[in-house]
Amino acid sequence: MKEFLISLLNFFGLAWWVEVKTSAPRCIYYFGPFLTSQEAEFAKAGYVEDIENEGAEGLIVSIQRCKPIDLTVADDLGKLGDKGMLPVF
């Protein structure tokens, strides 16, 4: 039942996501979706640790409601300008 609710919230852009921006390499990573901001907050440490272990630098982490199109948006993929995200109204 929880998975259905998360899927429904995500469909409408109301699910919570962890967004991690890195300066080197220039990327944006999205992790989620989550039912609540508290669940996303609890999970973010593991994602940050994984990205740091891969050698990324200059991390900026936020928890937000959004609907990412791509889970990884990299400068070398030419997608960093549009952030790979649909607008949430």
Side-chain angles (χ1 to χ4, degrees), residues 26-28 30 69-85:
R26 283 182 28 112
C27 291
I28 304 172
Y30 293 96
I69 298 169
D70 300 307
L71 299 182
T72 302
V73 183
D75 198 18
D76 64 346
L77 297 176
K79 296 182 179 180
L80 206 53
D82 68 8
K83 289 183 58 176
M85 198 168 44

Side-chain angles (χ1 to χ4, degrees), residues 1 24 41 78:
M1 184 66 178
E41 183 71 38

